[in-house]
């Protein structure tokens, strides 16, 4: 074989554009703030209730209000990017989140904190899909897997650093520091964006805001999330606080679907995206992976605190192996997606996640800590191989102008799946505890064992849509305009 033939048979490895890497890093810095903020606030709920002289049920609105505001803002992000340009929308979302963080840190009572958390939620709801849209559009038709490995970095760091920082703050400082830490991160992200993000022009044709679509989709999404979140606090789907908003949310989403498919105007989300097998399978997987990830993220710290008797801070430290496992597989997974596609990677990752979760379905207060740490490391490695290939496959074959719609849809499905997983698994724990005549450490451990079995079941179900994912890289991933 000649030297020339050898060069033909071994194509040169594509490298990421340095400008693209710079843009990705700049935007990832900004997304760290809302992802850290969410996990830290979850840790501080009881402290907030005591300090602000409120009840846990009212304090929950600090979280619920934030999520609902995100639900309202997410569908608007696609229109805003097309109308004003990605850089402007991204920087605006950072400013809104910064203002919300500053005022949250200065809150004088529970009502003011909830109001300012809603402002934070609007900023986060605009920021996250805008970030994904910009990066996928700039990545074009190559290296989408490695691009997603960069985008997913904050999603991995949030669960690692959030509980640790939250535990340190709750144990040693005022809860206000949960919001103080957002301020330098967000200001730094704003300065980086102003300096390093290239100016992008809005769409040549200025799209009008789909008012009817927004009035159907945003409240529908928010109502569905609210109803799901009430499952946990009201211990079941039979409560009117659960099924009424869920029914309203489903009704509004159905109405939006009918409207979006029939309207002659440009809808806020193009539902024709679901004609793509890759996209449809990926969105279902994002929902199921949200259940597997967020549901267990809720169970694990509670397991360590209620079954193992660990403190908040020590619980955060014990969960570090899961984050390490996620980080170890992140860069490798991105490269593999670009080479062999998503199906095999997701399938193997699901199996690894199940193996890593399985020990917790049998664990109690006496289980060896090293076994649990090893299980978390394995589970983290599996989770690290889920989000990147699923997100990459969602954008394969889409036109440039469809990317913003895809970013909105994937964000919605991830949020709904995460909320559903947390609510359902928390309800299962409560149901198991309430059905026991005697509550002791063994019955508490058994309740968590059952819930982990449910988490394993949801993860196993995700294998079904995985078979629809592409086997090897689609060379026309994101079609250029």
């Amino acid at each position: 074989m000649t030297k020339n033939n050898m060069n033909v048979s071994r194509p040169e490895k594509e490298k990421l554009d340095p400008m693209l890497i710079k843009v990705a890093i700049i935007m990832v810095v900004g997304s760290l703030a809302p992802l850290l903020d969410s996990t830290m606030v979850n840790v501080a709920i009881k402290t907030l209730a005591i300090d602000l002289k409120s009840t846990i049920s009212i304090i929950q609105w600090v979280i619920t209000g934030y999520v609902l505001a995100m639900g309202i803002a997410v569908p608007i992000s696609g229109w805003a990017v097309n109308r004003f340009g990605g850089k402007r929308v991204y920087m605006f979302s950072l400013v809104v989140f910064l203002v919300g963080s500053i005022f949250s840190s200065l809150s004088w009572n529970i009502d003011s904190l909830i109001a300012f958390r809603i402002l934070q939620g609007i900023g986060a709801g605009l920021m996250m899909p805008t970030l994904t849209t910009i990066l996928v559009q700039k990545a074009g038709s190559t290296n989408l897997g490695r691009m997603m490995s960069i985008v997913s970095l904050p999603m991995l760091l949030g669960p690692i650093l959030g509980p640790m920082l939250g535990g340190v703050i709750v144990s040693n400082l005022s809860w206000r520091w949960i919001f103080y830490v957002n301020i330098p991160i967000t200001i730094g992200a704003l300065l980086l964006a102003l300096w390093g993000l290239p100016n992008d022009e809005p769409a040549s044709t200025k799209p009008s805001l789909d008012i009817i679509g927004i009035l159907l989709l945003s409240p529908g999404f928010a109502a569905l999330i609210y109803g799901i979140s009430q499952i946990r606090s009201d211990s079941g789907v039979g409560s009117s606080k659960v099924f009424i908003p869920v029914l309203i949310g489903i009704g509004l989403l159905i109405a939006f679907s009918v409207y979006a498919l029939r309207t002659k105007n440009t809808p806020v989300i193009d539902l024709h995206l679901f004609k793509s097998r890759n996209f449809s399978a990926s969105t279902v997987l994002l929902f199921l992976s949200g259940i597997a990830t967020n549901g267990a993220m809720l169970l694990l710290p509670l397991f360590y605190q209620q079954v193992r008797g660990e403190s908040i801070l020590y619980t955060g430290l014990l969960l570090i192996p899961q984050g390490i496992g996620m980080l170890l597989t992140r860069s490798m997974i991105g490269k593999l997606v670009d080479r062999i596609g998503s199906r095999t990677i997701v399938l193997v990752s699901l199996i690894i996640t199940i193996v890593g979760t399985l020990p917790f379905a049998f664990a109690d207060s006496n289980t060896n800590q090293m076994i649990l740490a090893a299980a978390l490391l394995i589970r983290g490695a599996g989770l690290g191989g889920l989000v990147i290939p699923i997100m990459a496959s969602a954008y394969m074959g889409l036109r440039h102008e469809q990317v913003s719609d895809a970013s909105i849809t994937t964000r919605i499905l991830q949020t709904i799946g995460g909320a559903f997983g947390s609510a359902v698994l928390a309800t299962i724990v409560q149901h198991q505890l309430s059905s026991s005549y005697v509550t002791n450490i063994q019955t508490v451990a058994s309740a968590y064992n059952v819930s982990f079995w449910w988490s394993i079941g949801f993860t196993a179900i995700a294998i079904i849509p995985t078979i629809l994912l592409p086997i090897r890289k689609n060379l026309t991933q994101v079609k250029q305009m």
Side-chain angles (χ1 to χ4, degrees):
M1 183 179 291
T2 66
K3 184 176 180 180
N4 288 337
N5 288 338
M6 289 178 65
N7 289 336
V8 170
S9 62
R10 294 182 182 179
E12 184 179 353
K13 181 181 177 181
E14 292 179 300
K15 295 182 179 179
L16 284 176
D17 183 351
M19 174 59 73
L20 188 59
I21 295 175
K22 184 177 80 169
V23 170
I25 293 174
I26 289 172
M27 301 192 78
V28 161
V29 170
S31 66
L32 272 175
L35 290 168
L36 286 174
D37 180 88
S38 298
T39 52
M40 289 191 293
V41 169
N42 290 342
V43 170
I45 285 296
K46 291 184 179 179
T47 302
L48 288 171
I50 295 171
D51 195 69
L52 295 175
K53 298 178 176 59
S54 184
T55 62
I56 294 295
S57 60
I58 295 177
I59 285 291
Q60 287 292 337
W61 276 97
V62 172
I63 298 174
T64 304
Y66 178 88
V67 175
L68 293 183
M70 281 185 62
I72 292 172
V74 164
I76 301 175
S77 63
W79 166 82
V81 169
N82 291 328
R83 182 69 175 80
F84 302 106
K87 179 178 179 178
R88 293 186 182 92
V89 176
Y90 175 71
M91 293 186 67
F92 175 76
S93 68
L94 282 171
V95 171
V96 173
F97 190 84
L98 174 62
V99 172
S101 297
I102 292 172
F103 281 106
S104 293
S105 70
L106 301 174
S107 298
W108 53 91
N109 57 27
I110 184 58
D111 296 328
S112 62
L113 179 58
I114 292 172
F116 298 138
R117 281 284 288 167
I118 289 173
L119 188 61
Q120 275 189 308
I122 293 172
L126 290 172
M127 185 190 308
M128 302 310 291
T130 298
L131 178 152
T132 306
T133 296
I134 293 174
L135 291 179
V136 173
Q137 286 180 339
K138 291 188 179 299
S141 60
T142 58
N143 299 313
L144 195 52
R146 276 178 280 181
M147 198 73 253
M148 284 300 165
S149 71
I150 299 175
V151 174
S152 65
L153 183 59
M155 300 178 192
L156 305 182
L157 291 178
I160 301 172
L161 299 179
M164 290 173 55
L165 289 175
V168 170
I169 291 171
V170 170
S171 302
N172 302 288
L173 301 169
S174 166
W175 58 265
R176 298 180 188 276
W177 278 92
I178 289 174
F179 304 106
Y180 289 154
V181 296
N182 294 331
I183 297 173
I185 295 175
T186 312
I187 291 176
L190 271 170
L191 294 175
L192 285 172
L194 186 63
W195 162 75
L197 289 185
N199 292 318
D200 59 331
E201 294 299 323
S204 55
T205 57
K206 304 294 184 183
S208 59
L209 182 60
D210 179 19
I211 301 295
I212 296 176
I214 291 291
L215 291 177
L216 292 172
L217 183 59
S218 290
F221 179 33
L224 192 59
I225 291 296
Y226 172 74
I228 291 172
S229 68
Q230 293 303 298
I231 294 175
R232 180 180 174 187
S233 58
D234 287 85
S235 301
V237 296
S239 169
S240 61
K241 292 183 179 179
V242 174
F243 70 80
I244 290 178
V246 166
L247 288 178
I248 292 174
I250 292 174
L252 288 172
L253 293 180
I254 291 174
F256 169 76
S257 300
V258 174
Y259 161 79
L261 292 173
R262 292 185 176 182
T263 183
K264 295 180 180 179
N265 300 320
T266 303
V268 66
I269 293 181
D270 181 11
L271 295 184
H272 292 98
L273 287 170
F274 288 96
K275 289 182 178 180
S276 165
R277 188 183 75 172
N278 290 340
F279 184 80
S280 297
S282 298
T283 52
V284 173
L285 277 168
L286 283 172
F287 174 79
L288 292 172
S289 66
I291 296 175
T293 303
N294 289 46
M297 287 293 187
L298 169 75
L299 290 181
L300 285 167
L302 291 176
F303 168 81
Y304 277 109
Q305 292 174 44
Q306 297 183 7
V307 177
R308 311 280 293 188
E310 309 292 357
S311 66
I312 294 175
L313 178 58
Y314 196 50
T315 294
L317 296 174
L318 289 172
L319 292 175
I320 287 178
Q322 180 172 248
I324 293 174
M326 295 170 76
L327 288 173
L328 288 176
T329 55
R330 183 183 61 87
S331 59
M332 176 184 66
I333 291 298
K335 295 175 182 177
L336 282 175
V337 170
D338 290 329
R339 292 177 184 175
I340 66 173
S342 302
R343 185 190 300 180
T344 303
I345 299 172
V346 174
L347 182 60
V348 172
S349 298
L350 287 170
I351 294 172
I352 293 174
T353 302
I354 291 173
V355 171
T357 310
L358 200 58
F360 289 92
F362 299 96
D364 57 24
S365 58
N366 299 316
T367 304
N368 186 285
Q369 184 58 56
M370 294 304 295
I371 294 176
L372 297 181
L376 284 174
L377 185 69
I378 294 170
R379 175 180 160 79
L383 292 177
L386 287 179
V387 176
I388 295 171
I390 295 173
M391 289 292 289
S393 64
Y395 292 95
M396 288 182 179
L398 299 185
R399 299 189 306 276
H400 186 275
E401 63 271 18
Q402 291 179 307
V403 172
S404 60
D405 290 339
S407 298
I408 294 170
T409 308
T410 53
R411 175 60 53 181
I412 287 175
L413 267 295
Q414 279 182 299
T415 305
I416 293 175
F420 182 80
S422 299
V424 168
L425 293 182
T427 301
I428 291 171
V429 170
Q430 294 176 5
H431 175 73
Q432 292 294 315
L433 292 175
S434 62
S435 62
S436 300
Y437 294 104
V438 179
T439 302
N440 52 39
I441 194 65
Q442 190 56 48
T443 58
V444 174
S446 297
Y448 279 96
N449 293 156
V450 172
S451 298
F452 280 116
W453 276 115
W454 275 86
S455 177
I456 291 170
F458 283 123
T459 308
I461 291 172
I463 293 174
I464 298 173
T466 300
I467 62 176
L468 298 177
L469 295 179
I471 297 176
R472 57 175 58 90
K473 180 182 175 183
N474 185 337
L475 297 178
T476 60
Q477 286 175 338
V478 179
K479 298 178 182 177
Q480 301 299 314
M481 294 180 65

